[in-house]
Amino acid sequence: MTEADRASRLSDAARREPMAVDLDELGACLAADSRAARRHAAEALGRLALAGRDVEPYADRLDRLLADTELLDAGVQLSVDPDSEGWFQPRVVAFAAAALVVTGTVNRPETIGSAVRAYERAHPEFDAETRTIEAVREVGWALASVAIYTDGYVDVLVGLTERDDDLVRRVGASALSDVAEEYPPIREEYPAETPRLVAVAAGLLASDPHPRVRYHAAFALYEYALGRPELVGERSDVLAAALGDDAELVRKDAAGTLGLVGATDPVPVLRELSETDPSERVRDAAAKALNSLTDGS
């Protein structure tokens, strides 16, 4: 049996009977020379952590996984039905890192920073800020995937948005915006914590000093407004204030959300934005919101 075959059987066992998996075998597969074997082992590592197994002795193997830029592209199928295309899946190494982060197996800020730097290296074709944006999205989506897949760990995601580290808050806010966007189509309902998450997003939009955190917060509010406008409408004052944000994407999503929730007080500001904002995307979003609020008149 090849290393890859052995690790594939291990990942299947971690999916079906995680409490029966031999952790010594996990360690051997994580240290395998075969990249395919390490990919399967990374999946098993994440699944076993989420199942409550004590994988802390193997957490340091994550560094090797994150250092392999070719392995970073490999996906993992989290859908229950193996014959279904399922939903958009996370990358397997990011999934393993997210599982270790949410279960507290590793130092959360340190591991998130390491994961972001790894995924930045995977995008050498981009400028520095774009690399970070893409990496934050990748790691944030992995964290959101874990929350959606397990129907849990929202407290951990919220906690990340409260950290002093800008990068960690960006990842946490990205994860929350992904929960807002993807939870309903995957779970066919919004999470029970939706009112709390709306409040968290509104707080970030109102006061976070980092524009990318505010953007993810604004996007989360937009996504929640698509299905639960009555909850987001209570935050219209925050959204109206965000129309003056320095960040283009924040203004865009704030305008779009105000249109969804039917807030009429900001109509004069929306009209001004639709005519004078330097960003075409903001002008378009403001015009669409105006059209919705004034019923086309």
Side-chain angles (χ1 to χ4, degrees):
M1 180 183 298
T2 67
E3 287 182 326
D5 290 338
R6 180 184 179 190
S8 178
R9 291 180 60 181
L10 177 74
S11 65
D12 286 342
R15 184 185 308 112
R16 301 174 192 279
E17 297 182 275
M19 305 313 291
V21 169
D22 183 342
L23 293 183
D24 288 339
E25 188 174 7
L26 171 67
C29 290
L30 286 168
D33 291 331
S34 164
R35 179 172 286 120
R38 296 199 303 277
R39 174 173 63 83
H40 290 303
E43 176 182 346
L45 175 65
R47 290 185 185 275
L48 292 174
L50 294 175
R53 298 297 302 274
D54 180 13
V55 296
E56 187 172 0
Y58 307 99
D60 61 350
R61 310 293 173 88
L62 186 63
D63 291 339
R64 182 182 181 188
L65 299 174
L66 289 170
D68 189 339
T69 54
E70 292 185 28
L71 189 59
L72 296 181
D73 286 334
V76 57
Q77 179 81 8
L78 293 184
S79 301
V80 175
D81 182 357
D83 297 323
S84 170
E85 291 184 5
W87 40 282
F88 182 68
Q89 310 295 336
R91 305 296 185 187
V92 66
V93 177
F95 165 70
L100 296 180
V101 164
V102 299
T103 56
T105 306
V106 293
N107 178 290
R108 285 168 178 159
E110 181 179 299
T111 301
I112 287 172
S114 296
V116 169
R117 287 190 292 274
Y119 280 93
E120 285 176 333
R121 292 193 295 272
H123 294 290
E125 71 275 19
F126 298 143
D127 63 78
E129 177 56 17
T130 303
R131 286 199 300 270
T132 302
I133 288 170
E134 292 301 315
V136 165
R137 285 174 174 166
E138 199 73 67
V139 178
W141 171 238
L143 286 162
S145 297
V146 167
I148 297 168
Y149 173 62
T150 62
D151 196 24
Y153 299 110
V154 165
D155 284 347
V156 174
L157 302 190
V158 170
L160 296 178
T161 69
E162 298 168 348
R163 296 277 184 167
D164 290 336
D165 188 320
D166 286 351
L167 184 61
V168 175
R169 292 202 316 282
R170 287 177 68 173
V171 171
S174 177
L176 289 183
S177 69
D178 286 329
V179 167
E181 181 181 18
E182 302 294 345
Y183 203 107
I186 293 169
R187 285 288 188 180
E188 299 183 352
E189 61 183 353
Y190 282 90
E193 297 91 343
T194 294
R196 176 190 178 198
L197 297 182
V198 167
V200 169
L204 293 173
L205 177 59
S207 62
D208 197 277
H210 200 289
R212 296 299 301 186
V213 174
R214 298 197 303 276
Y215 158 66
H216 289 300
F219 181 69
L221 291 174
Y222 178 84
E223 287 296 326
Y224 280 129
L226 289 172
R228 299 291 301 275
E230 72 282 2
L231 293 180
V232 182
E234 298 173 359
R235 310 291 171 171
S236 294
D237 56 339
V238 173
L239 291 161
L243 294 175
D245 199 280
D246 290 339
E248 167 191 353
L249 292 177
V250 174
R251 299 196 305 277
K252 169 183 169 292
D253 282 342
T257 306
L258 287 165
L260 290 174
V261 302
T264 56
D265 286 350
V267 162
V269 180
L270 287 169
R271 182 170 288 111
E272 181 179 356
L273 287 179
S274 72
E275 297 171 352
T276 65
D277 196 277
S279 165
E280 181 179 358
R281 289 189 288 185
V282 176
R283 294 196 302 273
D284 287 346
K288 289 177 182 177
L290 278 172
N291 186 62
S292 175
L293 293 170
T294 60
D295 208 21
S297 61

